[in-house]
Amino acid sequence: MPDILVTRSSMPELNEYVKEIEPLFESRWITNAGAKHEELTEKLKSYLGVEALSLTVNGHMALELSLSLFNMKKHGEIITTPYTFVSTSHAIVRSGFKPVFADIREEDCTLDPDRIEERITDDTVAIMPVHVYGNMCDVTAIEEIAAKHGLKVIYDAAHAFGVKLEINGQWRGSGSFGDLSCFSFHATKVFNTIEGGAVCCKTEKEAERIRELRDFGIVDEENVSDISPNAKMNEFAAAMGLCNLRHVNDEIEKRRKVNDTYREILKDVKGIRLLPERADQRNNYAYFPIFVNREEYGLSRDGLFQLLREHGFGARKYFYPLVTELFCYRDQYDGKETPVALKAADSVLTIPMYADLSPEDAARIAHVIVKGK
Ligand SMILES: Cc1ncc(COP(=O)(O)O)c(C=O)c1O
């Protein structure tokens, strides 16, 4: 195991968490929309700048529940990216839809709006783009295409907690775009509830419907509207969220320092490509991806992965393999149909990024990359 892992969970001081969970030992109300859950819901609405949201047990179930909200035609097609974590396409398939993969843009790894329309058929019902590494998709172009063709847009915003985008001079939270946006609050994310997630909605009515759907479809004691799973967030997870939310801005600031250290040292390394920073986006520095060009750098991506390991530093091939190259998809799909995504998957390495990583350690990691073989 490397000395420095690629990620490390943000956690409050033990005492802070103990204080937060103490009332639960009195109330004995430890799940089913208890006090902590309700408080976190309100605080997140305000932090994320969204109209309404419903908390879930994890980010994956947020995606699955969001796909149940609009009564979209069953077996319909949903256009998405293969350059993502398997959860995105799994949610589509498990909800009874067919994923149709479109290529990404090299400059930010998000779904390329120019590749969406050619994938639209009479069966298309929605687009599910992903804000990869916290890079916001081209929301304006995507939502224009969706409006033109009468499609829903459900963002997988698992990586984009706290990111803001400037649109026409106004800063908007990442959860406020599309018809719905889904977050993951997994332990490795910028903001975590250990395991958790949320569906951000446009109205309280929609959020209320997600609340039913995440609770077996129970409307009230005598009425069950849908055959739906259990996907509720418990009170201990919500309490962790309340603690972590107090510190999340400081955590993002610490991540920014790591990001700046990496960028300064790696900016001119031949054969190592960094994704550009954008003036219209306030970043959360969720990940630090680099793309290795073997010919120019003199070492393959896998070679660099190994080299970092030998120095005690973890790294992750994230996202590799491409979803369409995985055992459970490759019979039906071909990674070569999305060449930009395939190239990114074959050359990417995310290097350690977490709030407690010291800029000194970040510099040591970056210098190993500069030196190469
Ligand atoms: C892009 C993306 N989508 C969905 C998920 C699923 O979230 P979770 O692990 O909270 O279920 C994750 C994270 O794991 C992710 O990175």
Side-chain angles (χ1 to χ4, degrees), residues 19 29 45 52 70 112 114 119 121 124 150 152 176 192 226 252 263 270 289 292 300 367:
K19 211 168 142 220
W29 186 331
K45 267 163 61 179
F70 298 120
D112 187 342
D114 292 338
R119 295 283 199 265
T121 70
T124 311
K152 297 288 180 197
S176 69
N192 83 76
D226 293 79
I252 292 174
R263 282 190 181 273
K270 201 159 173 254
V292 184
S300 68
H367 283 302

Side-chain angles (χ1 to χ4, degrees), residues 57-63 83-88 130-132 156-159 182-189 194-197 287 318-319:
V57 67
N58 56 42
H60 180 79
M61 287 312 295
L63 290 171
Y83 195 75
T84 183
F85 184 58
V86 285
S87 175
T88 321
V130 183
H131 302 307
V132 180
D156 180 338
H159 290 188
C182 301
F183 286 101
S184 161
F185 303 148
H186 181 256
T188 56
K189 298 294 190 261
I194 311 170
E195 294 270 4
Y287 300 90
Y318 191 65
F319 301 108

Side-chain angles (χ1 to χ4, degrees), residues 29-283:
W29 186 331
I30 57 178
T31 187
N32 286 33
K36 300 292 168 192
H37 175 285
E38 296 304 272
E39 188 182 343
L40 184 63
T41 301
E42 287 312 308
K43 292 209 159 125
L44 282 176
K45 267 163 61 179
S46 148
Y47 185 86
L48 295 169
V50 298
E51 292 300 321
L53 71 77
S54 186
L55 295 173
T56 56
V57 67
N58 56 42
H60 180 79
M61 287 312 295
L63 290 171
E64 287 203 14
L65 297 177
S66 74
L67 288 165
S68 302
L69 188 68
F70 298 120
N71 296 320
M72 292 185 297
K73 180 168 87 179
K74 278 287 160 199
H75 313 297
E77 294 175 355
I78 298 186
I79 297 173
T80 190
T81 166
Y83 195 75
T84 183
F85 184 58
V86 285
S87 175
T88 321
S89 48
H90 278 14
I92 293 171
V93 177
R94 287 172 48 78
S95 303
F97 300 101
K98 180 177 178 224
V100 172
F101 296 98
D103 213 348
I104 61 167
R105 307 191 291 192
E106 192 175 52
E107 67 268 25
D108 61 8
C109 296
T110 67
L111 197 57
D112 187 342
D114 292 338
R115 301 270 78 88
I116 293 178
E117 275 192 300
E118 64 201 25
R119 295 283 199 265
I120 295 176
T121 70
D122 289 346
D123 288 328
T124 311
V125 292
I127 308 172
M128 185 173 269
V130 183
H131 302 307
V132 180
Y133 307 131
N135 292 321
M136 295 297 292
C137 298
D138 187 342
V139 291
T140 309
I142 290 172
E143 286 166 34
E144 262 172 34
I145 294 167
K148 183 171 150 197
H149 295 274
L151 308 174
K152 297 288 180 197
V153 180
I154 301 172
Y155 287 106
D156 180 338
H159 290 188
F161 188 89
V163 174
K164 288 204 168 110
L165 186 66
E166 190 182 16
I167 301 262
N168 303 329
Q170 278 203 319
W171 288 95
R172 274 178 60 182
S174 55
S176 69
F177 294 95
D179 294 283
L180 301 169
S181 289
C182 301
F183 286 101
S184 161
F185 303 148
H186 181 256
T188 56
K189 298 294 190 261
V190 169
F191 166 76
N192 83 76
T193 59
I194 311 170
E195 294 270 4
V199 183
C200 298
C201 307
K202 287 282 170 290
T203 63
E204 279 299 342
K205 199 169 161 218
E206 286 173 351
E208 188 49 46
R209 179 79 182 121
I210 296 283
R211 263 171 231 142
E212 291 167 7
L213 290 171
R214 71 176 182 195
D215 192 15
F216 304 102
I218 295 174
V219 179
D220 58 41
E221 278 180 16
E222 295 185 7
N223 291 293
V224 178
S225 63
D226 293 79
I227 301 170
S228 210
N230 176 6
K232 303 187 294 292
M233 179 183 284
N234 73 63
E235 287 290 275
F236 289 84
M240 182 62 102
L242 286 169
C243 295
N244 281 336
L245 194 59
R246 284 182 204 120
H247 307 289
V248 73
N249 288 343
D250 294 342
E251 299 282 286
I252 292 174
E253 178 55 21
K254 288 197 218 161
R255 285 171 176 270
R256 187 188 62 73
K257 290 190 178 134
V258 175
N259 169 82
D260 292 356
T261 305
Y262 280 148
R263 282 190 181 273
E264 183 53 33
I265 299 172
L266 296 176
K267 64 177 187 260
D268 293 323
V269 182
K270 201 159 173 254
I272 298 289
R273 183 171 68 88
L274 312 182
L275 297 183
E277 294 196 284
R278 290 165 49 173
D280 66 342
Q281 184 177 306
R282 283 201 206 122
N283 209 340

